[in-house]
Amino acid sequence: MKNLKDYALHRASGLKVLLGSGHLPSKQMEGIVAIFYFLIGCMIGLVCAVVGWLGFDMSILAAFGLYLSVSLMVGMTLILSTLHMLGHECTEVDA
């Protein structure tokens, strides 16, 4: 009987199948994760704006401002926390 470690795993993840490649470069994966995090931020911002508009009687313009601020804040927080976990150097750039 062979050892289980001798067998290679033939299971591909859904993201690799979706993109059509067996190997994802790290920069491409970071871009996909960043887009996903901004979508999560947009959904959370939309929920906050609708609850503020319907539940707390905010104006449409104030609810839109809440949507923009919450979506950008949540999206950027998730992206920066991911960069911090991956160990990237986040330094200032001379412009």
Side-chain angles (χ1 to χ4, degrees), residues 20-81:
S21 66
H23 179 263
L24 289 175
S26 63
K27 293 292 180 186
Q28 184 179 4
M29 190 64 173
E30 288 174 9
I32 292 171
V33 169
I35 292 170
F36 182 69
Y37 283 159
F38 268 121
L39 287 175
I40 288 175
C42 288
M43 287 186 283
I44 292 172
L46 180 67
V47 168
C48 290
V50 168
V51 167
W53 180 51
L54 294 176
F56 296 107
D57 199 29
M58 294 174 74
S59 68
I60 294 289
L61 193 58
F64 182 69
L66 180 66
Y67 162 73
L68 286 178
S69 62
V70 168
S71 63
L72 288 175
M73 184 180 62
V74 170
M76 288 305 293
T77 302
L78 289 173
I79 289 173
L80 290 176
S81 66

Side-chain angles (χ1 to χ4, degrees), residues 2 5 48 89:
K2 290 187 177 183
K5 293 181 182 178
C48 290
E89 293 294 325

